[in-house]
Amino acid sequence: MNSQSNSVDNAERWESAMFLYHAALKNVKTKIDILNGEFKYIHNYNPIEHVKSRIKSPDSIMRKLQKNNHEVNIKNMVQYVHDIAGVRIICSFVSDIYKISRMLMLQSDMDIVQVKDYIAQPKPNGYKSLHLIVRVPIYMASGMVDTKVEIQIRTIAMDFWASLEHKIHYKFDGQAPEHIAADLKECADIVARLDARMLSLNDTVQNANRERQISFSGFFVNTEGGSSDEEE
Ligand code: 0O2
């Protein structure tokens, strides 16, 4: 009877924890959506290609706790697993990643718990991405609960690489043959070069646009000057 009431209790705590993670995910996704909209409105430019989100599966939560030698229970899950609620922001250019992260860090109702910059310092396998662990307040009838969300920000090319690497990692139980790991690392280097070239190409296009706008507005200034000359 006692163990039965324990498991009912655990089920209720699990439900209520998951409710919080879902609410936190919604909260963060709304913030990102508003930032993107504002950016588009002010700068006529959309830094975010797309956004994905997920709640970590119970299996994956359990594996993470066991990997880090924590007993599997709800208290440890809330304390030690930071990416139960996860949002992934995919951008076109590396500069967009830092623009978005700066904008997120300026939000006063969101605490930045941890920043891991795997772009400045890629993982040995070649993995690149910017990870932020944030805490957002969720208001319930019983009070406010700060809830963690992991935000991963990366380019389309980094995301392409990471999704293939993830599949290979699971296929070989984390022990990919050496030649595959070496090939992946080489692809990560190609991705880094591609991202740098795309960024530089985009900068060139932006500069050309700016120059065209300046000479276009110069044309109007000259035209206005010309017409006043004619009046004289
Ligand atoms: P899944 O399936 O995406 O949930 P921590 O205890 O939080 O400090 P952790 O969790 O290893 O240690 O933190 P880290 O390094 O920030 O990684 C969190 C998540 O980033 C991972 O979650 C992956 O989603 C992603 N990630 C990290 N390293 C790699 C990598 O080498 N390759 C790929 N493809 N993704 C990576 P999970 O739980 O591992 O996986």
Side-chain angles (χ1 to χ4, degrees), residues 12-146:
E12 275 173 10
R13 289 173 66 202
W14 168 265
E15 292 278 314
S16 115
M18 287 302 137
F19 178 83
L20 284 171
Y21 288 118
H22 278 282
L25 213 52
K26 266 193 212 159
N27 178 314
V28 170
K29 272 165 49 184
T30 304
K31 283 176 183 299
I32 294 167
D33 199 34
I34 292 172
L35 280 183
N36 199 30
E38 184 199 350
F39 215 87
K40 211 167 156 189
Y41 176 67
I42 296 176
H43 302 286
N44 199 20
Y45 163 67
N46 196 346
I48 297 174
E49 280 293 327
H50 58 273
V51 177
K52 300 180 213 171
S53 65
R54 64 105 181 88
I55 294 287
K56 209 174 182 68
S57 68
D59 256 17
S60 180
I61 295 173
M62 205 169 75
R63 274 200 304 272
K64 197 156 219 175
L65 282 171
Q66 284 165 341
K67 189 182 95 184
N68 294 319
N69 297 319
H70 296 299
E71 197 188 319
V72 177
N73 59 45
I74 294 172
K75 185 172 169 281
N76 285 346
M77 164 185 106
V78 172
Q79 186 169 355
Y80 298 115
V81 185
H82 306 311
D83 63 342
I84 295 174
V87 179
R88 188 170 291 154
I89 305 175
I90 312 297
C91 311
S92 299
F93 305 106
V94 178
S95 55
D96 293 333
I97 296 177
Y98 292 103
K99 237 175 252 163
I100 292 160
S101 74
R102 272 196 301 275
M103 284 153 75
L104 286 170
M105 285 180 193
L106 286 173
Q107 305 240 332
S108 58
D109 58 345
M110 190 161 88
D111 272 352
I112 308 292
V113 177
Q114 188 186 57
V115 178
K116 285 191 193 169
D117 189 346
Y118 293 124
I119 298 171
Q121 279 176 317
K123 285 198 163 181
N125 61 1
Y127 178 75
K128 279 183 153 200
S129 190
L130 182 69
H131 292 189
L132 311 179
I133 307 287
V134 303
R135 225 178 351 225
V136 287
I138 302 299
Y139 294 93
M140 314 271 284
S142 53
M144 189 266 278
V145 187
D146 272 328

